[in-house]
Amino acid sequence: MGNIVPSHGAASALPYLTVIILLPIIFGLVVGVLPRDKAIVAKVVGGIGMLATAVLAVAIMFIFATGKSGYQMVTDHTWISQLGISWHFGVDGLSLFLVVLVALLAPIALYGAEEKYRTTSFISWVLILEGACIGSFLALDVFVFFIFFELTLIPTYFMVAGWGGKERGKAALKFFLYTLLGSAFLLAGMLILAGLHQSQTGTLTFDLTALAKTHLTYSTEVLLFLCFSAAFAVKTPIFPFHTWSPLAYKESPIAGAVMLAGVMAKLGTYGLVRFDLTLFPRASYRLAPLFLTLGVIGIIYGAVVAAWQKDFKRLVAFSSLSHLGFVVLGIFAFTVQGLTGGILQMFNHGIVTAAMFLLIGMITKRTGSWQISSLGGIQRVAPVLAGIMMVVVLAGLGLPGLNGFIGEFLILTGTFLIHRWWAVAAAGGVILSAVYLLWAYQRAFHGTPDEGIVSKMKEINFKESMILAPLIALIVLIGVFPAPMLDRITPTVNSIVAHVDSANHVSPPSTGAKSTLSSSNGGGK
Amino acid sequence: MTVSVSWYVILGAILFTIGVVGLLVRRNVLIMLMCIELMLNASNLTFVSFARQHQDVGGQADVFFVLVVAAAEVVVGLAIIVSIFRKRLGATADDLSSMKG
Amino acid sequence: MLATQTLTLPKISYWAIAPEAILVGGALLMLAMSATIRSKIDPAIFSIITFVTSLASIGAGVILYINVLKHGKYLAFDGALSVDGFGIIVGMAVGVAIAIFALGSEGFLSREGWDGPELLALGLLSGTGAELMAMANDLIMIFLALEILSIALYVLAGMDGRRTASGEAAIKYLILGGFSSAIFVYGIAFVYGTTGSTNLAQIAAFFATNLLAHDGLFLVGMTLILVGFAFKVAAVPFHVWSPDVYQGAPTPATSFMASVAKLGAFAALLRVFLSAFISYKQDWQPLVYGIAFASLLLGAFGGLVQNNVKRMLAYSSISHAGFILLGLVVGAELGAQRVVIYLVAYTFIVMGAFSVITVVGGKGDNNHDISNYRGLAREHPWLSGSLALFLMAQAGVPFTVGFVAKFGVLSALASSGGVGSYTLVIVALVSSVISAFYYLRIVVVTYSSPVGIGAIEPEPLVESTHVASELESSKMEELSMEYSALKVAIDYDIEEIERALDESPLEDPIGKVPLSSTIAISISAVATVALGVFPGILFALVSHATFLF
Amino acid sequence: MEHAVIFIPIIPLVSALFLISFGKKLGEPLSGWIATLAVGGSFVASVITWIGVLGSHGIDRTFIQHLFTWLPVGSFQVQMAFQADPLSVTMALFVSGVSTLIHLYSIEYMHGDKDFPKFFIYLNLFVASMLILVLGANLLITFLGWEGVGVCSYFLISFWFERPKAATAGKKAMIVNRIADVGFLMAMFLAFQSIGSLNYSNLISAAPHISHTTLTAIVVLAFVGAMGKSAQFPLFGWLADAMEGPTPVSALIHAATMVTAGVFLMVRLSPLLALAPGAAHFITIIGIITAFVAAAAGTSQNDIKKVLAYSTVSQLGYMFIGVGSGAYVAAIFLMVTHAFYKALLFLSAGSVIHGMNDEQDLKAMGALRALMPMTALAFFVGWMAIAGVPPFAGFFSKGDVLLGAYQQNIFIWLAGVITAGLTSYYMGREFCLAFLGKRRWEEKPKVKKAARSSHAAKEVHPHDPGFKMLGPILLLAGLAVIGGLLNLPFASSLKVLEHWLAPSLGIAPTPLHAASSSVQWVLAVVDAIVALGGGYIAFAIWSKKSKHPELEPVFLQSAWYIDATGNAVVAKSGTRLAEISADVIEPVVIDGAVVGVVNIAKFVGVGLHKIASGFVRREALVIAGGTVILLLAVGIRGGW
């Protein structure tokens, strides 16, 4: 097997990772017991917790050593020895920016879309969700991953059920059950894998590194792969397991939608890379065409359906389906460019979707509606808000110079190397995303505003612009100068791709004139 | 013809079956209780028969426990029946179906 | 004639039955008090006595446990009782259940105006039976303990004289319980007939040295015993009584059935099948597999269409029974340990949930329709929060002890290997997702707008299925039940609701939550979370929960 | 000195960022002046760079300025780098030069507009993007600019976003371009796969070593991208719609600069193109179809700007004929001169529109010659130049292209000449309708278009504009007259452009039948006669009478229904597809499957509910039955 998971990466003197996971959770619990009638206290305490987490995340980003593929800042303590479960965390190029994303989006989501009622508990839930997401991204023990993965459901459930729109009950229930059903298969797969490992080695463990060494027959590997993937496919969501998302995004409060689409969707794609590719490289490789196809269908279908949405939040849901299709494509391309693009695109999608939802929230707060049809001409009344929305839309449709392009381009480049026709089909999504985004923009922002809009719609205020500023800055910065991120992602990607390739006895696709002359098939099959 | 132990066991089985069938076909709660008694006593007979076979006094002692339990069950059962059917005309089990599903 | 045999009286070890003796003592004390003291006694006093008694019983259990840890397990009463980690831990769990029951009942008793100590005294007695079952090492002993447990429960079920359903529940439980007891005893008779003993250790010893030429009778006996246990733990298809009885019985009694009765029955079931009948594992394992399979699925699907919360939890407990039986399917000691964890976990979750339900039940113990939970979160955030916690724990959400329990059982099952086990793992997990639907349905309702908001009455979630309704309405109920099946609350905008409620607050049918209930709920909630986060405690505890063979 | 290359795109970019922050405060006209100065600065930087490049010789004239690595991923390394070589410097010079003039013009033209500063932000952004496009050292940087100009074009077309037509036109331009851009993307993927780099230098050096098929595919795919941006058949509908934008925008983006990006790209890739004759033929054919179809459509338009739009499309077709025929220099030559005279024509048209209070209908004009003499003169110069009347610029540049075509295939030349006649004709028609004849605007009641600015509906008093508008017009007129000097055919030493560009271009395959100098003279004479003839016919027909319905058939007015067909096929069916997907497939099929599963669960639940009778005896029966089943199971296992 490959060199993907060195059993112990660089351990760190300070338990950064434990702290960054527990910090928001503890703050969340503290906020949860604060007096309910004083929202301001909760806001301040929650704000401190989130700020500290964000600072720590940034610190981790800087401490993170560029050019290394293994896990860094590893923490490993026995937790439940009887079950072979350990408090094992580490960060690598795959998880680094996702952690930063969570730490960044949580405060932005919360303070960008404040809830008027029961603020205290809402803040508490957001903090717990933040901790759970960070925990999921950093866990190197499958069990620990799973429980954090599941823990994310609870805050989300309550955020949707407690602060959502009129169909919030149904939405929360559907979201919860659908995801839980997927997780059920994950848990089953995990238990069976651990059981097989135990029968081979005699030790019960859920450690990712150890489990990756389990010998599996091909058919077992495929079954387990499908079990794991079921959970991730629902969470992402990958077509056709997405039907919970439009409802959940629509009914959820804005902050919840930001977290759902911006952060939690990444749990699915992250899981695909971290677990499916690591544990089941052969099955992943052989079943890649299936996932590539689903990814492409998602790209096209999501875009087509998004075009017909009359509701801004549903539109974002389907656009997410489309964008995450690209991520899936990149993951299962098994090229360095594709996977790097996929990982970068996870981050990008988080930023762009968050900004999109926040803007929708701002519009909704003013006009009381997120129906596209009831808007129109906003650009005349609120040009700055419209301008920011335009930047976000352009990032969404992959304009070069903005972040969305970098991810999509790398994904398509990487996919094209091995799976040419999937890339060609996926490129259709580039067209369609322009269609639905610009059409929606035209309907809501162009045209002459009616009296209702003129009287209700106000320009973005200072606080709102400050909340959006970091997102817009990142959209541009990543678009222009993505190298710092790519330098941190690529080494990990190299080792993952090498792991998959070596498990399948294939060599990476070659590029360049020389190889084209020497061998006709440019790598892979 | 010697009457071996198995005859008693078979008799016990017959009694038990009668009890079961009675429980299933009769509507009157009192009679249902009696059927349960019959089943318990069939067990007792079986116990005694096997005790005899094993030459073991333990089995016979067990019968006493069962008898006591049976008595207690009947006492409680009758008390409940009285309390619930005080307001009704007959002690018919089929009337007891306000809860279902 | 039988040869004269001298009956040697067994040596009586009072320490071994100290936990049970304390419970009985407490019950007698209360009965004596109510018989002698003329003036009305505050239910709180009985409640405190029960609580203290159960704590004392737990304390005795702890001493026993430490003793066992030091000196090893031993048999008492001529082998009728086995004093070992397994029995003591389950016994302590029973003690915990009684303690929470005592706290939860206090509010109930004073609310309903029940003066006497009967509810609590019967609880203690029934608990005695459960603790004995956990330790019993002789089939007849188990039978006796089972009956002690059950007869008290029959009465508990029928205690609410004002509700017809209560009496009905009692009669149903009595007849069906008696029926299953008879089957159980008949099974014991056959086992006795083929092995010559009712003592588990002796039966095990018998099979260790003998091989039955014709094991037909034994197998019949074994199967009948399994039926008896399956009835008590409400496993499919012997569960038929449980929804009705759960619904009809007074809520504290229901909580008792769901927890204590199951604890005792499962403990005995495991002990019998894993010690005495272990040689016939090939024969009983498929049966248990089938029963577990059916229980998991029926428990999940059956709860979907229920609108009465107590009925819903009855189906939930059927599903849990399925899970616990998975531990038995595993067969080995590992399975037993995981079952003990499950039982302990389950005690907290189910007692907590029923404590909340008792409170919400309101005066008359009638408000158990799901519509009664509308808007609970607004008036009683902590109450609904705890309910959500307990329900999520039942669904097996991580960081609750419910997850630990399910995970433990399933990981044992998965490590036992084989396609059958893997299938069962997946079925179990899927069924827990299905049952999550009805748990969450309750949670969703607590977060929906309270009834009577604004000018328009919200569409009723269901036609209420009050137990006291007349027989003729049953057809109507059936229709409405189908109509409303799986429906979730239709709601209003949050801001509208908040505004409407600020203007005209609704009358709260629950009122102030009694302190005792708050304590009960808090204990359960803390345990649910704490053991969920630090499951190591549980695992360490049960590592000594082995049998004495 | 070459290092100045980086300042060429940076100056307008910084200016745009500055105006985003402070434009509103600076307001009119200060923001306009700043923008103009920035573009002027860019022009100065271009000149400095040009001088720098002139300092070296031959192949050394390629200077690459690396800034940083844009995309470093494994073997895929893309630099943020700008390239100063003869081709890019030429482009930079004329782009920044023409842009400066149009910025200046816009200060007056956009006077009083609500979004005056925003207009200049967009214009500056556009110029920056266009310069990035031409200066990029690899395909991806070019693509960065390519998409940048696309989005700026979107902003500017829908600048008056309150008019639904403008908003729709902008969106359409963007989407059509995106469709074509997929071709560009594919070209890059294929280039990376087969060559391992996107740098022009690497592409060019590796080109001879890669397979012919791959090379053809790369070039054709890149051309697909160019077809969108340069509005080639069948993707030209958007350019006509783009006339919804302000006139300076039409002049700058949709005539002089952006639309020529496709031509630039193909010339940039000419070393590859030269090795892929199949691709070259394809380009030629598309070029000739476009040139003719658009010119024909131009003969029947009644909107003063639409005529110019179709004319632009037609001229772009010409440029591609040049590219396809291997006459790369001619294509660039035509591009530059076209920029002069087409910008001139648009600006003059803008002047007319301005003077006529936003009237664009040719049939509602007439006799403006007297009232707007300078504009009329400028327009006349533009007409002569585009028609190819000697010695105006168009004569030489178009002549070069036609010569290239002739050397490939005489039929292409023939089609080109016919098109040239049409060009002269429709421009003549436009000139006659606008400036000659009667004052038709006084005849019929004016149908007011949506008021877009402070030009309130009032009496029409056509007049020549002020110096800020007129200055650029006259300057461009001058360039249109003398533009031919860039590359005079009379002697090798006079072919300045050809010598200058040579290091940047591929060496075209030797022409099939090279034209001797006498043949060249004959061709030139034919060109001139056709140009004059077309003009004369137009004058004869249109100078007196403004209505000749038989000469304006509906199918030409609708541009051969090509755009309508595309609309019907793509947009309508696409909308229907979206509708079906969103309203049927999603809720019924996909979510329906989920609901179906839930319904099964519900069905099971209800079924169980029905079985559960609540009768004690039946429940006992279940228990008894269960017991029997278990016994049987044990029995069967035991083998009774």
Side-chain angles (χ1 to χ4, degrees), chain C residues 193-209:
Chain C
T194 44
T195 63
S197 173
T198 54
N199 188 286
L200 300 183
Q202 286 173 21
I203 294 171
F206 174 81
F207 283 124
T209 50

Side-chain angles (χ1 to χ4, degrees), chain A residues 174 178 239-240 242-243 301 304-305 308-309 318 337 340 379-380 390 394 397-401 405-406 409-410 412-413 416-417 420 424 427 430-431 434-435 438-439 441-442 446-448 479-483 486 511-513 516-517, chain D residues 24 68-76 114-115 118 140 143-144 147 151 154-155 158 161-162 164 167-168 171 174-175 178-179 182 185-186 188-190 192-196 209-210 575 577-579 581-583 585-586 590-591 594:
Chain A
K174 190 170 183 180
Y178 212 143
F239 178 90
H242 61 273
T243 56
Y301 178 82
V304 169
V305 177
W308 199 248
Q309 296 308 313
F318 284 106
Q337 290 78 23
T340 305
Q379 189 169 335
R380 173 56 61 215
M390 192 72 231
L394 292 176
L397 59 79
L399 185 80
F405 172 74
I406 308 289
F409 182 76
L410 286 174
L412 289 175
T413 307
F416 192 86
L417 292 179
R420 178 176 296 176
V424 173
V430 174
I431 303 169
V435 174
L438 293 181
W439 193 21
Y441 185 88
Q442 183 189 350
H446 285 161
T448 314
V480 176
F481 190 48
L486 295 174
T511 52
T516 315
L517 292 177
Chain D
K24 200 143 201 183
F68 55 88
T69 307
W70 190 18
L71 289 180
V73 181
S75 57
F76 186 68
K114 275 181 275 188
D115 292 322
K118 198 193 271 175
L140 201 59
F143 190 68
L144 172 66
E147 292 287 288
V151 79
Y154 162 72
F155 290 151
S158 43
F161 59 86
E162 281 147 314
T168 307
K171 185 185 67 189
M174 184 85 175
I175 290 169
R178 277 249 141 183
I179 295 172
V182 170
L185 280 173
M186 292 296 149
M188 283 193 279
F189 299 152
L190 204 52
F192 171 61
Q193 188 179 29
S194 51
I195 296 167
H209 309 294
I210 59 177
T575 313
L577 177 69
E579 189 183 349
S581 305
D583 292 348
I585 298 180
E586 175 70 16
I590 297 174
D591 202 34
V594 179

Side-chain angles (χ1 to χ4, degrees), chain D residues 276-294:
Chain D
H281 291 319
F282 178 65
I283 293 170
T284 315
I285 290 166
I286 293 289
I288 193 75
I289 294 175
T290 310
F292 177 75
V293 164

